[in-house]
Amino acid sequence: MLQLDAITKHYPTRQGLVRAVEAVSLTVAPRSTLALVGESGCGKTTIAKMILRLETPTAGRILFEGQDIAAMDRIAVHRYRRAVMAVFQDPYASLNPRMRVGAIIAEPILAHENPGRAAVTRRIEEVLDIVGLPAGAARLYPHEFSGGQRQRIAIARALALQPRLMVLDEPVSALDVSIRAQVLNLLQDIQDEFGLTYLVIAHDLALVEHFSSDVAVIYLGRVAETGPTAEVFAQPRHPYTRALLAAVPQPDPDHILSEAAAAGEIASALNPPPGCRFHPRCPRAMDLCRTTVPVPSAPPHITACHAPHEGAPT
Amino acid sequence: MTLLTVENLQTHLHLQRGILRAVDGVSLHVDGGETLGLVGESGSGKTMTGLSLLRLLPEGSGRIAGGSIRLDGTELTELSETTLARDIRGSRIAMIMQDPMTSLNPVFSIGDQVGSPLRNHGIARGARLRSAVIDVLQRVRIPSPDQRLGDYPHQFSGGQRQRVVAAMAIGCTPRLLIADEPTTALDVTIQVQIIALLRRIQGETGAGIILITHDLGVAASLCHRIAVMYAGQIVETAPVRRLYRAPAHPYTRALLAAIPRLGDKRARLAAIPGQPPSLIDPPIGCRFAPRCAERMDKCAQAPPLTDLGDGHTASCWKLGTA
Amino acid sequence: MNKKKQKNFIHGLSGLPWAALGVIAVVLICAAGGEALLPQDPGDLDLGAAFRPPFWLDGGDLATPLGADNLGRDILSRIMAGARVTVIVAFYAILLSGSLGALIGMIAGFFGGWVDQVLMRFIEIQQSIPSIALALLLAAALEPGLSTVVVVIVLTYWAWYARIIRGEILALKGRDYVAFARIAGVSTPVIFLRHLLPNIFNTLIVLATLQVGQVILFEASLSFLGLGIQQPDISWGLMLADARQYITNAWWAITMPGIAIMLTCLAANVFGDWLRDRLDPKLRQL
């Protein structure tokens, strides 16, 4: 469905070249959910922006249903815009405060077709119903809704044109704990019902395990490990994946957090460490890791590490 | 030994739309060397409770409308603003806020910022100030602190900034530390470092900690006891194991069922329907009742606090009748 | 009208800034009414009445209720007559500098890149030219008078609007709803009209109302320098300039037009604040 082929993104800045994304290759199968996880500044948002054609890759190709999205003509871009939608993290920033909910949801529809007032109204009511809001919501302004309801409106807007791929950028992390489950369940129901493919950016690993079928762990612009979520979480091979998993606080007072799995903090993408970018923080780093970029292993469970772990973590 | 006792605290915010009862009858206590978790969603009153202890409420609109706050036997609600600022704030009770970027002033060096509470409260002056600051920075594990005194906040990474904030808070060896979402802005591998730091600080100083958080995972990893807040009130308080193993209040149970956890094989999360009520016009009776799966007729009246033994209390009619 | 609607209607009325609207209405009526409303001919000399104080002071006379100036002309009539020039100058100067500045700011902010670079340099150059020097040059090139005043004010203030509007556009461009519109394939002109323009409206209105005071004072200083309104035309600024030298023996001659300027500026600002709140859907229903 979606294939990233060695995409790279460099930004020139006054301090030098920021190597935000470096040779990232990933595939997303139809009706699956790929989660991009990693710490802030790891490049996962830049990857999403390139998929959404808000940024252009410095190198590499992004194929959507076999077509290179950079080589599309105007008409193909318009079709692509119709097939790919997004839901953002902050439901307070993603809805124009001056537009009524109905107009917000109608916006993508009217950008592509003009089916007439009655048809648009009907579609607005349909998608509001799908996300569990009353039809009357269309007449109100975003500020009249709570955070969870606003996120439902953002989902309704993304659904209005029946897209095939949805990019979800931290879709619940701005919401309250008791509201998150509502929105997650809604997203899962929508995926099942309409056969959508999701690309989700998340930092909450428990949520990723619950929500996604596949996962890609990104560290400083490179894929550290990717594969089916169940496999990656049960038998993580990359030391960074293990460090992330060991650091997740569990709602269980007897769970012991491991501070030792990743020392220090993420380096700057301005001047990434040579070799494996994780080596300065890695407890298993060897001389080879300091000089040579590790080659990714074979799919489906791909690891880029010179000294991968085996078996389940203890 | 009880360090802090709060009884029936009422904090009101006077807004244009009416009086918002942000904290409505909160009672809690913290012992020295103990960490109490104040867990709740945004708007549950957990942050306002923390700010009330230091009387740092929004200027103009916030007011403590009733109740008592006693620290080591001193009634804080009766202290004047000047006494509170001189003897309590920053010295006996210190605070760590969520965002290290906004709790540090970008135009002062960290040496200045960590040193200023020490100077203001007369802990160290002149030549001894420098060594005192280095000592505090060492305690929060800032590498080679003597060389970093003159550095500015932007020269530190996010995790190190939060360590500097912690250094500012512990400089005067406070008896009570209020940590408001101290790890929420941080990545998980950094979060675990700050959690370990807080635990070590407590081991060294014997301070009581109130940890304000929405994250039941962070609370479980750090707290001895947990108080769950909903709509301005504490609905359940329990020792940490009791709370996670045998939660009594339906809200606590629903919250624990609503969060995904690692290794959890459920196909669906158990969502809590609806949303938290407005605190300007809260529901009569049990405030969770409109969202509660176990609601009864009785819930139209406020439930009494039931003592379940071993320091476990909860406010729910189900418990009263059992 | 049902009960709720009626309540909303009354609530809406009670929220209106009546005092400010009153002042603005009086100024506008004076400006529009022309000669017909004036109690006296503002050009009428009466040396016997020179420096006559307002009526409530010793020697005052109800014929000249706010006193008379050095030539015995009725100050009230002159203020009323001067409202016309003030309103015309303020209206055209603000409309033209606001539209020019907003347009340039929007173009710079929206397109970015070299367009932005070039326009920003123009703005910086403009802002580094002292406006009085610009006025002197223009007055030498053009005839002093009302249209010169407007031209000078427009050339002075457009950059101020452009800079602020550009910043606003840059901030708005980064909003998630603009990103979504691009993702959904909404065309650039539509994004501009739907997401950017309405959101800079508040800023424009606040800037415009803030500028009312500045424009009146700017016109006053230009007229004072002899570059602006010329006798026998009347403007509040010119009245201040004329009365300045008699401030010790006839304070009212300078104070009365000063109060007129102050009340008008205040009313414009209060009205602007109210308008801004009304235009914001978030505040509308509070």
Side-chain angles (χ1 to χ4, degrees):
Chain A
M1 171 99 180
L2 184 74
Q3 197 176 349
L4 311 188
D5 183 7
I7 56 163
T8 295
K9 179 76 187 176
H10 293 168
Y11 296 98
T13 66
R14 273 180 208 163
Q15 289 90 40
L17 202 61
V18 174
R19 296 163 193 279
V21 176
E22 198 82 61
V24 165
S25 296
L26 293 169
T27 50
V28 191
R31 294 172 178 253
S32 71
T33 300
L34 172 69
L36 300 181
V37 301
E39 293 172 273
S40 43
C42 75
K44 51 191 199 289
T45 302
T46 309
I47 296 173
K49 280 187 173 168
M50 289 190 280
I51 293 168
L52 292 168
R53 279 189 61 115
L54 294 174
E55 302 268 7
T56 328
T58 314
R61 291 186 311 159
I62 299 173
L63 303 176
F64 179 71
E65 294 173 342
Q67 229 190 332
D68 184 347
I69 67 165
M72 286 177 171
D73 60 16
R74 267 184 68 108
I75 296 161
V77 169
H78 213 58
R79 273 206 303 269
Y80 182 69
R81 293 269 182 236
R82 192 182 173 126
V84 181
M85 291 286 165
V87 175
F88 298 106
Q89 172 172 4
D90 181 0
Y92 289 84
S94 67
L95 307 175
N96 186 339
R98 293 178 176 278
M99 286 165 70
R100 289 176 199 272
V101 169
I104 288 172
I105 295 172
E107 178 168 50
I109 304 175
L110 297 174
H112 291 271
E113 57 195 42
N114 192 355
R117 219 188 148 96
V120 173
T121 309
R122 206 163 50 239
R123 183 66 190 152
I124 291 168
E125 283 171 9
E126 266 170 36
V127 288
L128 281 173
D129 184 54
I130 292 169
V131 300
L133 289 173
R139 289 191 302 275
L140 302 175
Y141 284 96
H143 70 89
E144 293 170 81
F145 295 89
S146 67
Q149 289 172 323
R150 280 157 165 260
Q151 203 61 318
R152 288 173 189 269
I153 294 167
I155 293 168
R157 170 179 68 177
L159 276 180
L161 275 175
Q162 295 169 303
R164 301 201 284 287
L165 173 68
M166 268 224 245
V167 174
L168 311 169
D169 184 356
E170 299 275 9
V172 298
S173 59
L175 306 179
D176 263 322
V177 183
S178 77
I179 307 297
R180 285 181 190 176
Q182 296 176 6
V183 173
L184 283 177
N185 286 343
L186 171 67
L187 285 168
Q188 278 178 327
D189 293 345
I190 289 170
Q191 180 172 39
D192 292 345
E193 192 171 344
F194 302 104
L196 285 172
T197 306
Y198 285 158
L199 182 103
V200 59
I201 294 176
H203 70 279
D204 179 344
L205 289 169
L207 183 152
V208 166
E209 187 187 27
H210 173 79
F211 188 70
S212 70
S213 57
D214 300 88
V215 64
V217 180
I218 318 282
Y219 188 79
L220 258 183
R222 283 189 188 275
V223 177
E225 181 164 8
T226 179
T229 308
E231 213 179 306
V232 173
F233 276 57
Q235 303 202 343
R237 292 181 192 156
H238 200 287
Y240 179 59
T241 314
R242 292 209 169 197
L244 279 181
L245 287 169
V248 178
Q250 289 281 298
D252 173 0
D254 293 320
H255 176 79
I256 295 160
L257 290 177
S258 162
E259 190 192 358
E265 295 186 36
I266 194 165
S268 157
L270 252 175
N271 192 12
C276 172
R277 290 183 169 186
F278 185 59
H279 83 252
R281 301 178 69 187
C282 183
R284 289 161 79 96
M286 315 172 291
D287 285 344
L288 183 65
C289 307
R290 296 185 184 97
T291 53
T292 314
V293 178
V295 178
S297 65
H301 185 168
I302 303 170
T303 318
C305 180
H306 292 301
H309 287 273
E310 275 172 33
T314 46
Chain B
M1 184 209 72
T2 304
L3 172 68
L4 175 87
T5 312
V6 175
E7 269 165 34
N8 197 26
L9 180 68
Q10 308 267 350
T11 302
H12 293 175
L13 296 179
H14 295 258
L15 306 178
Q16 271 187 348
R17 289 168 292 160
I19 295 174
L20 191 149
R21 293 167 204 280
V23 180
D24 200 1
V26 160
S27 301
L28 55 84
H29 65 92
V30 186
D31 293 344
E34 181 191 47
T35 303
L36 172 74
L38 215 48
V39 174
E41 303 176 68
S42 53
S44 64
K46 57 188 195 305
T47 294
M48 280 301 157
T49 304
L51 294 174
S52 299
L53 301 184
L54 283 170
R55 223 187 285 161
L56 290 173
L57 298 167
E59 203 126 340
S61 65
R63 200 167 66 83
I64 294 177
S68 118
I69 303 168
R70 279 195 310 280
L71 179 76
D72 280 334
T74 313
E75 177 61 54
L76 300 189
T77 52
E78 286 164 7
L79 293 185
S80 71
E81 177 63 29
T82 22
T83 321
L84 196 74
R86 192 186 61 221
D87 299 341
I88 307 289
R89 251 182 235 152
S91 55
R92 291 173 72 195
I93 304 181
M95 193 150 187
I96 299 178
M97 309 260 198
Q98 173 171 351
D99 186 352
M101 209 55 221
T102 52
S103 11
L104 294 173
N105 187 330
V107 301
F108 289 106
S109 73
I110 61 137
D112 269 352
Q113 298 192 54
V114 175
S116 84
L118 299 177
R119 212 173 34 239
N120 293 345
H121 294 291
I123 309 283
R125 273 194 168 65
R128 286 190 39 239
L129 185 62
R130 187 183 147 88
S131 64
V133 170
I134 292 176
D135 179 59
V136 181
L137 289 174
Q138 235 149 20
R139 281 167 57 203
V140 297
R141 301 289 195 276
I142 295 279
S144 44
D146 47 328
Q147 288 157 35
R148 304 220 60 182
L149 287 180
D151 286 355
Y152 290 84
H154 73 268
Q155 291 166 295
F156 290 80
S157 64
Q160 281 183 330
R161 272 186 220 127
Q162 198 61 308
R163 286 172 191 272
V164 173
V165 172
M168 287 169 65
I170 65 168
C172 300
T173 44
R175 304 280 292 123
L176 179 70
L177 198 58
I178 302 171
D180 190 355
E181 304 270 9
T183 62
T184 304
L186 306 172
D187 285 318
V188 278
T189 59
I190 312 304
Q191 169 169 282
V192 63
Q193 296 169 9
I194 298 296
I195 289 173
L197 176 71
L198 286 174
R199 207 184 279 129
R200 202 169 48 231
I201 288 170
Q202 186 168 53
E204 286 169 14
T205 64
I209 296 181
I210 295 182
L211 175 77
I212 297 170
T213 183
H214 71 280
D215 188 325
L216 285 160
V218 173
S221 67
L222 201 54
C223 298
H224 302 105
R225 285 189 304 121
I226 289 180
V228 179
M229 286 194 77
Y230 186 78
Q233 302 174 328
I234 291 180
V235 295
E236 179 165 14
T237 309
V240 65
R241 278 195 178 70
R242 277 284 283 267
L243 191 96
Y244 287 91
R245 300 270 185 271
H249 197 280
Y251 175 63
T252 315
R253 287 207 294 269
L255 211 51
L256 283 166
I259 52 172
R261 49 185 83 194
L262 284 177
D264 177 358
K265 302 291 181 230
R266 286 178 298 169
R268 273 178 87 79
L269 299 171
I272 308 176
Q275 51 199 333
S278 149
L279 292 184
I280 290 179
D281 188 20
I284 298 163
C286 173
R287 293 186 176 175
F288 184 61
R291 303 174 72 187
C292 184
E294 299 164 54
R295 180 179 54 242
M296 313 179 289
D297 290 344
K298 244 186 185 167
C299 300
Q301 289 148 42
L305 189 70
T306 309
D307 190 340
L308 302 164
D310 300 322
H312 190 173
T313 54
S315 306
C316 176
W317 283 110
K318 284 263 170 188
L319 305 167
T321 53
Chain C
M1 201 184 274
N2 65 33
K3 254 212 168 114
K4 198 180 160 202
K5 256 192 187 152
Q6 193 172 354
K7 206 177 137 207
N8 279 343
F9 182 68
I10 291 166
H11 180 75
L13 287 183
S14 68
L16 277 171
W18 285 113
L21 282 177
V23 171
I24 291 169
V26 168
V27 172
L28 290 177
I29 288 168
C30 291
E35 313 277 308
L37 292 172
L38 301 180
Q40 290 185 30
D41 181 344
D44 214 5
L45 304 185
D46 176 6
L47 290 178
F51 298 128
R52 186 190 280 163
F55 74 90
W56 61 88
L57 293 179
D58 279 349
D61 189 330
L62 269 177
T64 57
L66 298 181
D69 67 4
N70 57 321
L71 299 175
R73 296 174 294 195
D74 176 29
I75 291 178
L76 177 65
S77 302
R78 289 181 69 76
I79 289 176
M80 289 171 72
R84 156 165 277 189
V85 168
T86 302
V87 167
I88 290 174
V89 168
F91 178 77
Y92 283 107
I94 291 171
L95 187 74
L96 294 176
S97 60
S99 345
L100 181 70
L103 186 71
I104 290 173
M106 283 190 287
I107 291 171
F110 192 70
F111 292 102
W114 66 267
V115 177
D116 184 33
Q117 294 284 325
V118 169
L119 291 173
M120 277 311 284
R121 290 301 90 76
F122 267 115
I123 289 170
E124 281 158 12
I125 291 167
Q126 200 292 320
Q127 292 198 320
S128 60
I129 300 173
S131 44
I132 293 295
L134 187 71
L136 284 167
L137 278 171
L138 281 165
L142 311 168
E143 290 272 289
L146 199 141
S147 48
T148 311
V149 171
V150 171
V151 169
V152 170
I153 294 174
V154 170
L155 288 179
T156 306
Y157 280 105
W158 71 268
W160 183 63
Y161 281 96
R163 192 181 273 275
I164 293 169
I165 294 301
R166 171 184 172 270
E168 198 92 330
I169 292 283
L170 284 181
L172 288 170
K173 244 172 60 175
R175 295 279 160 86
D176 283 345
Y177 52 79
V178 177
F180 182 87
R182 285 172 66 194
I183 290 163
V186 178
S187 68
T188 304
V190 174
I191 290 178
F192 201 92
L193 289 175
R194 192 180 289 154
H195 295 300
L196 301 184
L197 207 55
N199 281 304
I200 60 166
F201 230 77
N202 279 347
T203 314
L204 273 179
I205 280 169
V206 174
L207 292 181
T209 54
L210 283 177
Q211 212 200 338
V212 171
Q214 295 177 355
V215 164
I216 293 175
L217 296 175
F218 201 21
E219 178 263 311
S221 39
L222 289 176
S223 303
F224 178 72
L225 289 171
L227 306 170
I229 310 302
Q230 304 292 313
Q231 300 273 15
D233 282 348
I234 305 165
S235 84
W236 294 347
L238 199 59
M239 288 177 74
L240 290 184
D242 284 348
R244 198 187 58 105
Q245 49 188 312
Y246 310 110
I247 191 164
T248 45
N249 49 357
W251 56 265
W252 50 89
I254 195 163
T255 306
M256 296 305 165
I259 289 173
I261 292 175
M262 192 197 80
L263 283 178
T264 310
C265 296
L266 196 64
N269 287 347
V270 169
F271 179 69
D273 280 350
W274 174 82
L275 202 58
R276 184 197 54 201
D277 293 349
R278 290 294 292 181
L279 289 173
D280 190 337
K282 233 178 290 178
L283 295 169
R284 200 179 293 162
Q285 276 141 356
L286 293 184

